[in-house]
């Protein structure tokens, strides 16, 4: 059974935020005005969190790139009254925008705070329309959105593989963040396929998941710093 | 999986979803009115090119749908990018479609700086510029033309040089990034270029304030070394950062040490002390290739102290610790780790050179590489070759031009080493000199009113220049004062070349090619210069006999084809294969015809020669003695005249001064990786979250230690004035534990959303290293006031 997942090696991540920007570019994430951003209304499906500790000069800091965890047991879908958020058989947690009624229950249920609400209709000035990705819908006012593991790429990859009469390969389906990362800190693939790198890496002794005790069973794994 | 019921629900959800997702694109675009009615999926192409956003010049790949660039990723064939890219590179699409792009050539109609423009045709614009330059030359004043050349990559640099030379102007004024290390290499090795660092094969990188993962020559080069080989088969490079603040690089290095600003060189010599005392240095290398290490008796029989005695006498660990603030044990362990690593290399950052003793400090840092023999060998400092391009046509200079050149540059360098700050010097000379000494100023990717340390001097200078022409594709502070604007195309619409920076150990010649149709109102500055040259005729036209910049590039690439070395860009396997062949003295032609070679170079994104000949003695030193000089005679002479009483290497006693009651905190300006430098506008994706702080959007900020904020009574997020004796600006105070209590860290590259400037460099005290004239970045003290 295919189960799409991600392993992020914190020892490789430099906090450069290329993944963040690549995600915005791939997924038509609109920018908001400075005062809206000030109110916490900027959207970033992938966000590089930084956690500084200690005092100068004994400071340390860890970067956590944080997409949706695509939980195997996702609290967000349980609270959605209209099943606008769902998990597909291959483990991708998605959002059906036309069905979402904007109650924001799921955003409150998600312990990882990865769900963003569109408080206003997206503004697409002419300049920004030019580079929108035609494969990804833009979202309307009043709906929730979040990281999709770039699942539009999966559809395309499947169609291509089918057209060429072959199996889907690991490299055929890679989300934008994994593709851009200059240090290869983000590895993506089928957790249940032993030939995929993620399957091997999730057995690494450094592996951990965020807030595992909540029982959400995230499919995003982190590899801790080397000591 | 869970219960049957849940399985059922999931399956339901999934079915609904896969249908929903399958056509939501169409439905949402049309039904919710947020898309274009005539939407269609379009045809996509992927095209390789090179990024020209910063000096790293990475390989990029554009995804083009119909004729729109929708996405940028890394070129998988480019050895530095390998498919990855930095956030600024990715956000390049927001430059291409930026709302502030200038849409046609403009002529000023209102007062200078009032930003009243009239759009004119290209023929008219080029005609006006050509006529002005023609009459200036006919009046016998070609030297009154000056070019302020900001970011000027590859053949654009050579084209401008050739244009000015054949025209007769010696006033090519560089206004680009200079970290001051080329001067150090010139002194110690007789090789006047910044060092290349073989980071990928280094075992241990000791960085002295180099912003390797942020705003260095090439962050992607450092990332590749940091990530190490895929699959972790090889041991990855170990990075240790010495820094004045807890930078992003310090955060991600394997280890870091905080240091007092301006004391990098003292720490380096403290490490040298341990290397010599414990006999950890490479004595054989030093004996064979280095001069100045041992004491010598000069002709008169008098003893002159060598490097060893100087270091042993002056840089004992305890004293070094007292000056730098780095604990004694730390200095010793750093020295040991450095010496014991398989391939250690010390990297000298711009924070070392922009200090009162910058040149000496940089020499001290590099002396660690010399002591360990980490020069011209794998994992060390390498002086790579430049790509062997065919030169431009032989320049022709007529007597008029010769006379102009002979009058010499308006503001020649007055300092013994390096080039100092040529743009500031030029502005000073114009502001102080006779009116009309400069008749026409060309601005090429330069915006001194935003980036220069002394904005007022530039304001005065601009007032004294009768005619200013800007080639900027965007409106900016200096372009606002232009009389004529000839907007350039962006790198995604034009032909150019993008050689890797000197920090990269071997040459990669990236091709920049149009990814989409060019903006109809803009024109390639290279083509504009060629057109003006044709209009001027005579020696200028004969020096630049190219139909277009594209033909010029192609003519130069013929040099690569002819050298019988290197290859068009390829995957990691092809690169390695080529390297091994060339090591054994082989080279196989990939192409018989130049045309086929050119097509493939363009298609793959460029050319490279991955072979480094480490046995070549000229890679070690090109000094008259053929040895690396630890105490270069020229340096000693210069110290005697302008060194203000300093001796070779640094005065340990002269610890960095402290602040005063009025200005108690030291200002530490720094470059932010995601922000641009003054000639490019902010990109929204980057400005929305420019730094580490998730709640800082767009606003300029400063970083202050928790204890300092407490003492001052400022809460996190207070708006404050940062005030020095030379100016002030407004910023948001962020409490950050990585800041030393006596410092204020101030990123530059931001403005307030309403355009209010916020440049910490405008607060600097204007002092500089007397040996190089590079400005001091860390000698200015400030106070904070509630805004
Ligand atoms: S792109 Fe890679 S290195 Fe950069 S922040 Fe994201 S995960 Fe980390
Ligand atoms: S991370 Fe949040 S949004 Fe994503 S699946 Fe889990 S609960 Fe849902
Ligand atoms: S490092 Fe510089 S050249 Fe490379 S992608 Fe980023 S901005 Fe472009």
């Amino acid at each position: 059974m295919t189960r799409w997942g991600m392993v992020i090696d914190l020892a490789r991540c430099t906090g450069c935020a290329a993944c963040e920007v690549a995600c915005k570019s791939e997924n038509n994430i609109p920018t908001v005005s400075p005062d809206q951003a000030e109110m916490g209304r900027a959207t970033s499906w992938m966000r590089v969190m930084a956690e500084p500790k200690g005092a100068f000069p004994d400071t340390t800091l860890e970067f956590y790139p944080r997409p949706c965890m695509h939980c195997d047991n996702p609290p967000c879908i349980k609270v959605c009254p209209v099943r606008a958020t769902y998990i597909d058989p291959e483990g991708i947690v998605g959002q059906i925008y036309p069905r979402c009624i904007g109650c924001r229950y799921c955003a409150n249920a998600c312990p990882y705070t990865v769900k963003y609400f569109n408080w206003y209709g997206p503004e697409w000035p002419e300049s920004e329309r030019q580079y929108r990705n035609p494969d990804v819908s833009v979202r309307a006012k009043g709906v929730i959105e979040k990281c999709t593991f770039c699942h539009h790429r999966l559809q395309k990859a499947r169609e291509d593989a089918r057209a060429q009469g072959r199996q889907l390969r690991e490299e055929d389906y890679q989300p934008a963040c994994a593709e851009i990362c200059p240090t290869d800190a983000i590895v993506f693939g089928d957790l249940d396929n032993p030939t995929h790198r993620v399957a091997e890496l999730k057995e690494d002794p450094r592996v951990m998941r965020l807030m595992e005790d909540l029982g959400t069973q995230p499919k995003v794994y982190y590899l801790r710093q080397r000591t | 999986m869970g219960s049957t019921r849940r399985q059922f629900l999931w399956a339901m959800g999934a079915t609904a979803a896969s249908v929903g997702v399958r056509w939501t694109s169409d439905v949402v675009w049309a039904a919710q009115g947020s898309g274009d009615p005539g939407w269609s999926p379009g045809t996509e192409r992927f095209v390789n090119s090179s990024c020209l956003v910063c000096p790293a010049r990475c390989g990029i790949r554009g995804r083009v749908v119909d004729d729109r660039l929708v996405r940028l990723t890394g070129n998988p064939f480019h050895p530095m990018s390998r498919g990855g890219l930095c956030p600024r590179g990715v956000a390049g699409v927001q430059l291409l479609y930026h709302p502030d792009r200038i849409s046609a050539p403009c002529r000023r109609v209102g007062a200078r700086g009032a930003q009243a423009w009239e759009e004119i045709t290209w023929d008219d614009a080029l005609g006006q510029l050509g006529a002005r330059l023609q009459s200036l030359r006919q009046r016998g004043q070609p030297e009154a033309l000056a070019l302020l050349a900001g970011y000027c990559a590859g053949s654009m640099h050579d084209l401008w040089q050739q244009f000015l030379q054949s025209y007769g102007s010696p006033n090519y004024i560089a206004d680009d990034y200079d970290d001051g290390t080329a001067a150090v290499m010139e002194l110690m090795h007789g090789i006047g270029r910044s060092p290349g660092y073989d980071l990928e094969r280094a075992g241990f990188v000791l960085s002295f304030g180099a912003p390797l993962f942020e705003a260095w020559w090439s962050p992607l080069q450092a990332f590749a070394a940091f990530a190490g080989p895929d699959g972790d088969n090889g041991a990855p490079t170990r990075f240790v950062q010495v820094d004045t603040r807890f930078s992003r690089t310090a955060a991600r290095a394997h280890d870091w040490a905080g240091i007092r600003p301006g004391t990098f060189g003292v720490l380096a010599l403290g490490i040298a002390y341990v290397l010599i005392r414990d006999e950890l240095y490479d004595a054989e290398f030093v004996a064979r290739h280095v001069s100045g290490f041992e004491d010598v008796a000069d002709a008169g029989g008098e003893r002159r102290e060598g490097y060893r005695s100087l270091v042993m006498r002056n840089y004992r660990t305890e004293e070094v610790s007292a000056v730098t603030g780095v604990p004694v044990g730390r200095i010793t362990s750093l020295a040991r780790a450095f010496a014991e690593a398989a391939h250690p290399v010390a990297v000298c950052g711009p924070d070392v050179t922009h200090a009162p003793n910058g040149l000496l400090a940089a020499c001290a840092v590099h002396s660690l590489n010399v002591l360990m023999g980490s020069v011209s060998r794998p994992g060390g400092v390498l002086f790579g070759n430049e790509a062997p391009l065919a030169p431009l046509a032989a320049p022709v200079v007529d007597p008029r031009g010769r006379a102009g050149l002979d009058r010499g540059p308006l503001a020649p360098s007055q300092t013994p080493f390096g080039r100092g700050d040529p743009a500031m010097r030029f502005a000073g000379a114009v502001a102080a000199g006779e009116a009309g000494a400069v008749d026409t100023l060309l601005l090429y990717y330069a915006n001194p009113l935003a980036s220069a340390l002394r904005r007022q001097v530039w304001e005065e200078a601009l007032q004294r220049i009768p005619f200013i022409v800007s080639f900027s594709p965007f409106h900016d502070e200096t372009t606002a004062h232009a009389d004529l604007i000839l907007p350039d195309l962006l790198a995604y619409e034009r032909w150019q070349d993008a050689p890797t920076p000197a920090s990269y150990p071997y040459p990669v010649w990236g091709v920049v090619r149009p990814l989409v149709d060019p903006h109809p109102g803009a024109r390639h500055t290279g083509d504009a210069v060629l057109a003006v040259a044709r209009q001027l005729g005579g020696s200028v036209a004969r020096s630049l006999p190219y139909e277009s910049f594209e033909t010029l590039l192609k003519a130069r690439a013929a040099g690569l084809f002819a050298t019988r070395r290197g290859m068009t860009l390829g995957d990691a396997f092809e690169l390695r294969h080529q390297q091994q062949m060339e090591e054994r003295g082989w080279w196989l032609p990939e192409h018989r015809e130049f045309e086929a070679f050119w097509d493939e170079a363009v298609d793959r994104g460029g050319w490279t020669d991955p072979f480094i000949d480490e046995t070549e003695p000229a890679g070690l030193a090109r000094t008259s003695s053929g040895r690396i000089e630890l105490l270069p005679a020229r340096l000693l002479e210069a110290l005697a005249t302008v060194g203000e009483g300093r001796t070779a290497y640094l005065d340990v006693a002269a610890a960095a001064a402290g602040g005063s009651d009025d200005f108690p905190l030291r200002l530490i300006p720094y470059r932010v990786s995601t922000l641009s430098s003054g000639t490019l506008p902010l990109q929204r994706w980057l400005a929305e979250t420019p730094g580490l702080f998730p709640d800082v959007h767009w606003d300029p900020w400063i970083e202050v230690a928790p204890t300092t904020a407490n003492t001052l009574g400022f809460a996190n997020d207070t708006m404050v004035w940062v005030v020095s004796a030379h100016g002030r600006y407004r910023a948001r105070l962020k409490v950050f534990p990585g800041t030393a209590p006596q410092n204020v860290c101030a990123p530059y590259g931001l403005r307030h959303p309403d355009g209010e400037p916020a440049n910490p460099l405008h607060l600097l005290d204007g002092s500089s290293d007397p040996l190089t004239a590079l400005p001091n970045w860390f000698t200015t003290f400030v106070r904070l006031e509630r805004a």
Side-chain angles (χ1 to χ4, degrees):
Chain A
M1 183 70 188
T2 304
R3 249 170 17 101
W4 298 110
M6 189 178 268
V7 180
I8 303 179
D9 189 342
L10 299 182
R12 279 174 177 258
C13 172
T14 61
C16 73
C19 49
E20 221 178 282
V21 177
C23 172
K24 292 183 187 198
S25 171
E26 176 73 13
N27 290 300
N28 295 334
I29 294 174
T31 38
V32 297
S33 65
D35 45 311
Q36 286 290 311
E38 209 48 50
M39 293 196 272
R41 291 177 181 173
T43 302
S44 204
W45 290 3
M46 170 62 108
R47 180 79 185 105
V48 183
M49 320 285 272
E51 203 187 330
K53 291 198 191 102
F56 184 95
D58 301 312
T59 337
T60 58
L61 188 142
E62 300 226 50
F63 293 107
Y64 289 90
R66 185 238 52 199
C68 166
M69 301 290 134
H70 294 269
C71 307
D72 258 352
N73 183 19
C76 59
I77 72 168
K78 295 180 192 152
V79 297
C80 178
V82 293
R83 258 190 16 240
T85 181
Y86 65 95
I87 180 164
D88 82 3
E90 299 190 344
I92 297 179
V93 176
Q95 185 83 17
I96 305 165
Y97 309 122
R99 190 182 278 181
C100 174
I101 56 170
C103 67
R104 292 182 285 132
Y105 287 177
C106 63
N108 291 316
C110 169
Y112 306 98
T113 65
V114 308
K115 299 201 120 180
Y116 293 87
F117 186 61
N118 286 282
W119 290 91
Y120 297 93
E123 278 169 37
W124 289 102
E126 195 47 41
S127 60
E128 296 195 18
R129 277 169 188 255
Q130 303 294 326
Y131 50 79
R132 277 189 312 206
N133 182 357
D135 303 338
V136 176
S137 62
V138 292
R139 282 74 62 183
K141 171 177 169 176
V143 305
I144 286 280
E145 61 179 78
K146 68 158 192 71
C147 152
T148 61
F149 269 172
C150 295
H151 61 12
H152 55 283
R153 290 190 171 198
L154 173 60
Q155 290 168 31
K156 259 192 152 174
R158 271 221 172 96
E159 280 161 23
D160 286 352
R162 202 175 298 137
Q164 291 166 28
R166 57 170 177 79
Q167 296 277 306
L168 193 68
R169 292 179 303 229
E170 184 178 6
E171 63 273 23
D172 290 339
Y173 171 35
Q174 289 294 318
C177 55
E179 173 189 62
I180 207 75
C181 176
T183 55
D184 281 329
I186 304 180
V187 183
F188 183 84
D190 178 1
L191 295 166
D192 286 353
N193 184 334
T195 67
H196 283 203
R197 276 172 69 210
V198 280
E200 182 191 340
L201 288 173
K202 78 172 198 302
E203 306 302 333
D204 193 288
R206 293 188 287 133
V207 86
M208 60 140 192
R209 291 182 289 178
L210 295 180
M211 297 189 240
E212 242 170 322
D213 49 332
L214 297 178
T216 48
Q217 298 170 30
K219 284 195 293 300
V220 174
Y221 293 79
Y222 291 90
L223 300 183
R224 282 194 200 89
Q225 301 295 342
R226 288 170 208 280
T227 42
Chain B
M1 277 199 182
S3 65
T4 344
R5 181 180 143 73
R6 202 189 296 152
Q7 255 172 4
F8 170 74
L9 284 180
W10 281 354
M12 279 293 291
T15 319
S18 52
V19 174
V21 173
R22 189 72 196 87
W23 41 264
T24 35
S25 326
D26 303 302
V27 169
V28 174
W29 281 67
Q32 302 193 347
S34 46
D36 318 304
W39 183 85
S40 75
T43 347
E44 76 179 353
R45 294 179 287 136
F46 291 89
V47 191
N48 294 324
S49 182
S50 310
C51 180
L52 287 182
V53 172
C54 87
R57 298 165 202 152
C58 302
I60 56 175
R61 170 170 288 186
R63 177 179 179 223
V64 182
V65 179
D66 293 336
D67 195 40
R68 288 176 304 119
L69 177 65
V70 297
R71 202 163 137 56
L72 287 168
T73 54
N75 175 3
F77 294 137
H78 195 287
M80 202 163 73
S81 325
R82 286 269 159 256
L85 205 62
C86 91
R88 283 176 71 187
V90 177
V93 291
Q94 290 194 321
L95 290 175
L96 177 61
Y97 300 112
H98 202 284
D100 291 350
R101 274 194 77 170
I102 300 171
S103 54
C106 299
R107 188 176 70 87
R108 176 172 66 83
V109 288
R112 272 253 177 108
Q115 304 246 47
W117 308 103
E118 178 196 22
E119 290 194 358
I120 54 176
T121 63
W122 270 97
D123 283 349
D124 188 358
L126 290 173
Q128 286 188 31
L129 177 59
R132 179 121 195 159
L133 296 188
Q134 190 71 283
S135 87
L136 196 59
R137 222 170 109 79
Q138 274 160 1
R139 290 204 308 270
Q141 280 185 289
E143 75 282 4
L145 169 69
L147 168 75
L148 189 64
Y151 185 39
C152 201
S155 295
M156 261 322 281
H157 169 266
D158 303 346
L159 170 65
W160 275 122
Q161 292 268 16
Q162 179 113 327
F163 178 77
L164 288 186
Q165 199 195 352
S166 58
Y167 181 83
S169 168
N171 288 309
Y172 177 103
I173 318 294
D175 187 25
D176 55 356
Y177 176 60
D178 174 25
D179 71 356
T181 50
V184 176
M185 298 303 135
E186 169 68 43
L187 268 172
M188 295 175 71
H189 294 267
I191 301 174
R193 60 183 303 203
S194 292
Y197 297 103
D198 187 7
L199 298 183
E200 275 189 68
R201 290 190 290 174
F204 188 102
V205 176
L206 182 57
S207 155
F208 288 81
L212 296 175
F213 302 152
E214 301 156 81
W216 191 53
W217 285 111
S218 170
L220 264 80
Q221 181 191 347
F223 289 156
F226 180 73
D230 266 0
D232 285 349
N233 296 325
T237 308
R238 190 171 169 78
F239 283 79
V240 175
Q241 179 77 2
V242 180
D243 223 326
T244 51
R245 62 186 184 93
F246 186 58
S247 62
R248 217 174 250 248
T249 310
R252 286 316 291 125
H254 298 97
D255 199 359
W256 90 288
I259 186 170
R260 289 203 188 109
T263 66
F264 285 107
V266 176
L267 176 67
L269 295 174
I271 291 173
Y273 174 90
V274 179
L275 296 180
I276 297 173
R277 184 195 64 193
D278 300 353
E279 295 182 2
L280 296 170
Y281 68 99
D282 187 339
E284 197 199 319
F285 179 88
V286 170
R288 282 183 55 185
H289 299 297
V290 178
S291 77
F293 186 72
E294 304 290 357
D295 299 353
V296 285
D298 65 14
E302 215 173 306
R303 256 179 98 71
R304 249 208 354 237
E305 218 175 21
Y307 177 93
R308 177 212 291 270
S309 307
L310 263 169
V311 169
M312 293 314 283
R313 194 160 53 80
N314 296 315
Y315 300 94
R316 274 186 292 272
T317 330
E318 295 73 24
E319 287 160 63
V320 167
S321 171
V323 174
T324 58
V326 181
V328 172
R330 209 59 215 288
I331 299 172
T332 318
S333 64
L334 275 179
R336 297 234 164 95
F338 189 70
E340 279 157 17
H343 297 285
V345 66
V347 180
C348 177
D351 292 11
V352 177
T353 43
H354 289 75
N357 50 27
L359 183 75
L360 294 171
C363 288
V365 168
H366 183 59
S367 75
L368 296 179
N369 292 321
V370 176
L371 287 183
M372 295 314 300
S374 292
V375 181
S376 196
R377 75 168 191 203
V381 165
L382 294 166
F383 298 99
N385 300 308
E386 309 221 353
L389 295 173
L392 292 182
V396 185
V397 182
D398 65 7
R400 233 186 218 134
R402 174 56 50 211
L405 293 175
D406 286 348
R407 277 173 217 130
L410 184 68
S413 173
Q414 308 284 353
T415 42
F417 306 109
R419 59 173 222 204
D421 187 343
M424 227 29 263
R425 211 162 54 225
F426 171 80
V430 174
E434 288 167 42
V438 174
D439 173 84
T440 300
L441 174 69
L442 309 177
L443 299 165
Y444 183 70
Y445 292 102
N447 180 12
L449 288 185
S451 62
L453 298 194
R454 288 277 164 271
R455 188 193 157 100
Q456 308 85 314
V457 178
W458 263 106
E459 272 166 2
E460 281 166 43
L462 292 179
Q463 273 169 21
R464 302 178 72 100
I465 300 175
F467 196 61
I468 300 170
V469 183
S470 170
F471 294 92
S472 173
F474 302 102
H475 285 292
D476 62 38
E477 288 84 344
T478 316
T479 298
H481 292 258
D483 300 280
L484 196 60
I485 310 178
L486 307 178
D488 194 6
L489 293 173
L490 292 195
Y492 317 104
E493 306 166 300
R494 68 175 196 244
W495 288 97
Q496 204 175 315
D497 50 351
T500 40
S503 66
Y504 203 68
Y506 57 85
V508 183
W509 188 72
V511 173
V512 178
R513 64 176 297 188
L515 300 173
V516 293
D517 284 346
H519 189 296
R523 196 175 286 188
H524 192 322
T525 300
D527 289 336
V529 174
L530 292 174
V532 170
R534 277 193 293 274
Q535 205 181 322
L536 291 171
S539 60
V540 186
R542 270 185 293 140
S543 302
L544 293 169
Y546 304 99
E547 199 184 303
S548 67
F549 198 79
E550 185 186 347
T551 50
L552 177 152
L553 266 194
K554 206 167 157 182
R556 301 206 77 189
L560 305 176
F561 181 67
T563 70
R564 309 178 61 77
R565 271 177 41 204
M567 58 186 273
T568 55
L569 298 188
D571 60 27
F573 173 78
E574 292 168 313
L575 200 72
R576 186 78 205 113
H577 183 233
Q578 179 77 19
Q579 218 161 15
Q580 286 171 351
M581 277 214 309
E582 288 193 45
E583 260 162 34
R584 294 178 194 135
W586 287 88
W587 182 81
L588 287 179
E590 295 172 283
H591 305 280
R592 282 172 181 281
E593 304 286 335
F594 170 69
E595 288 298 327
F597 165 81
W598 170 251
D599 288 346
E600 187 167 294
V602 169
D603 184 51
R604 296 195 148 209
W607 174 95
T608 185
D609 182 7
F611 171 56
I612 307 165
D613 186 357
E614 286 125 10
T615 59
E616 169 65 48
L620 216 50
R622 291 169 215 161
T623 52
S624 52
S625 62
R627 288 171 158 249
I628 305 170
E629 308 267 357
L630 273 178
L631 296 176
R634 281 174 56 213
L635 179 65
L636 300 177
E637 281 159 28
L639 277 173
T641 51
V642 293
E644 294 172 358
R646 277 184 273 135
T647 49
Y649 291 118
L650 316 161
D651 193 350
V652 180
S660 62
D661 285 350
D662 251 5
F663 301 107
L665 299 167
R666 188 190 293 268
L667 184 70
I668 310 271
Y670 73 91
R671 222 180 247 260
V672 188
S673 51
T674 51
L675 301 175
S676 31
S677 43
T679 58
L680 297 175
L682 288 179
Q683 292 127 288
R684 297 174 65 111
W685 285 329
L686 304 177
E688 203 167 73
T689 28
L692 287 180
F693 305 99
D695 55 347
V696 173
H697 314 279
W698 299 87
D699 275 342
W701 77 95
I702 53 160
E703 294 155 23
V704 170
T707 47
T708 313
N710 252 334
T711 319
L712 294 170
F714 289 139
N716 197 24
D717 288 328
T718 310
M719 274 309 245
V720 294
W721 287 105
V722 187
V723 188
S724 82
H726 308 272
R728 65 172 200 170
Y729 74 98
R730 242 164 26 95
R732 200 156 119 186
L733 180 146
K734 294 304 292 181
V735 174
F736 184 58
T739 307
Q742 63 278 14
N743 296 342
V744 172
C745 296
Y748 59 88
L750 275 167
R751 296 176 183 87
H752 289 276
D754 63 1
E756 180 186 323
N759 189 346
L761 298 182
H762 290 158
L763 269 52
L764 295 187
D765 62 13
S767 64
S768 60
D769 179 352
L771 293 174
T772 61
L774 284 183
N776 292 334
W777 283 348
F778 308 114
T779 51
T780 302
F781 289 84
V782 296
R783 67 167 175 265
L784 302 179
E785 291 169 3
R786 196 176 297 273

